[in-house]
Amino acid sequence: MKNLTKTLTLALIAFSLNSFAQTATEKFQMGMKKGLEMLGSAKGTDGFNSTANYFERVAQAEAKQWTPFYYAAYSNLIAGLTTTDKTIKDQYLDKALAEVDQADALSPDNSEIYALKGYVQYIKLSVDPQSRLAMMSASSASLAKAKALNPENPRPYFISGQNTFYTPEAFGGGKAKAKTLLETAAAKFAIFKPASAIEPNWGADQAKDLLAQIK
């Protein structure tokens, strides 16, 4: 009887722990989906700043998950893109880079994280090109690593194409050079499926829009 009681107690503990883990996972998934809905409807610097703040709170609560840090970084990047004040833009981009590094620490050698890092680095360069030329090679290296880590990920090709699209021809850019990269991205987007509903799945529409401006 004593052994039976002990067995039942252990079984109840195991059941409780499993139920708790399931509840925590479901809560995290719901929180992330809410954040992604916010991101999808965000407008202007304030909207993306609010979304970044939300994901930062999720990241604090879920310190072992890389996706909240990733989306906080992405939201800060877009917040930076939507402001014309260079000082404020840099502040958003610096936060984005720090959050990319936090995501990388949790999920090393992740193609998505290196793609986003290359994107942020290029936009940092664009704020003050004359004094930040070194960031061009840093951005290229991050994107090259993203491609090597997962050749089927369309985002590093899209970001490379977008960067090339907006880089003056005198510096090796231009629409003609961007076309091949964007076409490769579009082909990969057509067959890409994210590993889960909360992992990155953006860029396809932007790639099509840029291609439409080239053709």
Side-chain angles (χ1 to χ4, degrees):
M1 186 68 180
K2 189 175 181 179
N3 288 337
L4 177 60
T5 301
K6 186 177 180 181
T7 301
L8 288 172
T9 300
L10 291 173
L12 284 170
I13 291 171
F15 177 77
S16 297
L17 289 173
N18 185 55
S19 298
F20 176 78
Q22 288 181 333
T23 301
T25 300
E26 290 170 2
K27 184 179 178 182
F28 170 65
Q29 293 286 333
M30 288 176 62
M32 288 299 296
K33 288 177 181 178
K34 177 183 175 181
L36 291 173
E37 289 172 1
M38 289 174 62
L39 182 59
S41 61
K43 296 184 184 299
T45 305
D46 289 342
F48 288 104
N49 179 50
S50 295
T51 305
N53 290 338
Y54 175 84
F55 280 117
E56 286 163 6
R57 291 194 296 272
V58 176
Q60 288 174 357
E62 302 285 347
K64 294 183 179 181
Q65 301 284 349
W66 67 271
T67 47
F69 288 104
Y70 175 95
Y71 285 112
Y74 181 75
S75 299
N76 276 313
L77 166 64
I78 305 303
L81 283 169
T82 54
T83 182
T84 57
D85 186 310
K86 290 186 177 182
T87 300
I88 295 175
K89 186 186 292 285
D90 255 344
Q91 291 172 357
Y92 280 121
L93 297 175
D94 287 340
K95 283 187 71 176
L97 283 175
E99 287 159 348
V100 164
D101 287 341
Q102 288 173 297
D104 181 45
L106 293 166
S107 181
D109 295 331
N110 185 318
S111 175
E112 296 290 4
I113 294 170
Y114 274 92
L116 182 58
K117 185 174 185 176
Y119 194 172
V120 180
Q121 288 169 325
Y122 181 83
I123 301 304
K124 280 282 291 182
L125 159 72
S126 71
V127 176
D128 188 2
Q130 290 186 335
S131 68
R132 299 180 182 178
L133 282 176
M135 296 209 77
M136 182 174 286
S137 59
S139 174
S140 297
S142 294
L143 292 169
K145 185 165 183 176
K147 294 171 188 174
L149 288 168
N150 182 5
E152 300 312 311
N153 182 2
R155 262 163 296 284
Y157 294 91
F158 158 63
I159 295 164
S160 293
Q162 180 177 251
N163 292 354
T164 304
F165 184 96
Y166 289 110
T167 298
E169 291 183 12
F171 292 96
K175 293 181 179 180
K177 289 189 175 180
K179 184 178 180 181
T180 300
L181 288 164
L182 292 169
E183 287 177 337
T184 300
K188 291 180 182 296
F189 274 123
I191 58 175
F192 177 81
K193 292 182 179 180
S196 72
I198 64 171
E199 292 202 16
N201 192 27
W202 57 269
D205 290 341
Q206 295 97 312
K208 288 179 183 178
D209 289 344
L210 290 179
L211 277 171
Q213 295 179 51
I214 296 173
K215 294 177 180 179

